[in-house]
């Protein structure tokens, strides 16, 4: 790991903490530099502007995602694997908090940071998993998985927007669980299994 990357990561960690505490707009580059112990010149050698920190964090999350779902292999069914994928992606986003997610959505509109493509990057995985669910009788909706998976991703994106608008006061995971069951027409036995997984993850 290079010293340059370590410095960028340190700046990003400090900046995110400041953004969450004080609000994105209220935090200046000077405050970030002071808290991270770097000169402003060093900051601008690594980032052209404050919003680049967010883009760097999003890219870091994307690149390390597969290593952060250890329960994926041990799941009891491919339906659980679909859930683990979608939940892990949402958990990454929710960890920013609603105010910072608003900022990220604004950046998506102005700088096309690929925020809404984050979940779509794993569509191929979910298409294969859903095809297995259909074959094994877990999902009774037999429409083409390549059409159903984008519907699931759009549902999750819509839920996220509602979560942001309600300042985080929205049971997004429970709602998404219900939507997965309805859209895929999951048999009752596996709907209950998924409920158990959600409950276990809260403990």
């Amino acid at each position: 790991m290079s010293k340059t990357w370590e410095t960028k990561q340190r700046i990003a960690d400090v900046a995110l903490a400041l953004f969450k505490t004080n609000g994105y707009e209220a935090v200046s580059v000077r405050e970030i530099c002071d808290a991270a112990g770097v000169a402003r010149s060093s900051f601008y050698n690594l980032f052209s502007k404050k919003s680049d920190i967010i883009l760097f964090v999003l890219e870091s999350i994307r690149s390390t995602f597969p290593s952060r779902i250890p329960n994926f292999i041990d799941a009891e069914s491919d339906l659980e694997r679909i859930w683990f994928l979608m939940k892990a992606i949402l958990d990454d986003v929710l960890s920013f908090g609603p105010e910072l997610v608003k900022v990220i959505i604004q950046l998506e509109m102005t700088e096309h940071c690929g925020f809404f493509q984050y979940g779509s990057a794993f569509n191929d995985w979910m298409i294969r998993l859903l095809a297995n669910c259909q074959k094994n009788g877990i999902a009774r909706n037999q429409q083409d998985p390549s059409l159903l998976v984008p519907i699931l991703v759009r549902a999750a994106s819509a839920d996220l927007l509602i979560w942001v608008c309600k300042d985080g006061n929205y049971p997004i995971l429970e709602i998404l669980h219900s939507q997965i069951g309805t859209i895929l027409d999951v048999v009752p036995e596996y709907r209950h299994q998924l409920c158990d997984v959600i409950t276990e993850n809260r403990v």
Side-chain angles (χ1 to χ4, degrees):
M1 189 178 298
S2 70
K3 186 175 180 180
T4 297
W5 190 92
E6 289 178 351
T7 302
K8 290 185 77 170
Q9 188 63 56
R10 184 169 76 255
I11 291 171
D13 290 343
V14 167
L16 280 182
L18 289 172
F19 294 158
K20 291 177 182 179
T21 301
N22 303 325
Y24 177 81
E25 297 297 339
V27 177
S28 67
V29 169
R30 183 177 297 279
E31 287 177 288
I32 294 169
C33 292
D34 289 346
V38 299
R40 281 169 59 88
S41 58
S42 297
F43 176 93
Y44 284 111
N45 282 335
L46 300 172
F47 300 102
S48 62
K49 53 189 178 301
K50 187 169 68 171
S51 62
D52 283 353
I53 298 171
I54 301 294
L55 303 182
F56 170 75
V57 172
L58 288 174
E59 182 54 39
S60 296
I61 289 173
R62 272 193 287 262
S63 64
T64 60
F65 180 81
S67 66
R68 290 182 286 104
I69 46 173
N71 49 8
F72 184 81
I73 298 298
D74 297 329
E76 292 186 14
S77 69
D78 285 329
L79 179 66
E80 276 191 25
R81 293 186 178 93
I82 291 173
W83 171 253
F84 284 142
L85 274 175
M86 298 192 75
K87 181 181 181 300
I89 292 167
L90 269 179
D91 283 344
D92 282 342
V93 176
L94 300 184
S95 68
F96 286 104
E99 182 179 345
L100 203 48
V101 173
K102 288 179 187 177
V103 173
I104 295 171
I105 291 172
Q106 291 170 350
L107 287 175
E108 175 65 23
M109 295 171 65
T110 59
E111 301 188 28
H112 308 294
C113 62
F115 176 62
F116 286 109
Q117 282 69 53
Y118 178 24
S120 302
F122 302 96
N123 277 12
D124 287 344
W125 289 16
M126 290 201 289
I127 287 169
R128 291 196 293 270
L129 293 169
L130 178 52
N132 289 340
C133 289
Q134 292 172 326
K135 180 179 179 181
N136 296 329
I138 297 172
R140 291 177 292 198
N141 187 336
Q142 294 295 310
Q143 291 188 53
D144 187 338
S146 66
L147 300 178
L148 287 174
V149 166
I151 292 173
L152 293 178
V153 173
R154 286 195 292 271
S157 297
D159 289 334
L160 180 62
L161 290 175
I162 296 172
W163 178 83
V164 168
C165 291
K166 292 181 176 290
D167 291 322
N169 297 311
Y170 180 73
I172 185 169
L173 294 178
E174 289 82 354
I175 296 294
L176 181 59
H177 160 261
S178 176
Q179 290 169 332
I180 291 173
T182 300
I183 293 169
L184 301 184
D185 192 13
V186 174
V187 296
E189 173 191 349
Y190 283 91
R191 289 199 195 204
H192 295 318
Q193 182 189 75
L194 209 51
C195 284
D196 292 340
V197 170
I198 294 173
T199 301
E200 289 170 7
N201 287 342
R202 287 205 199 100
V203 176

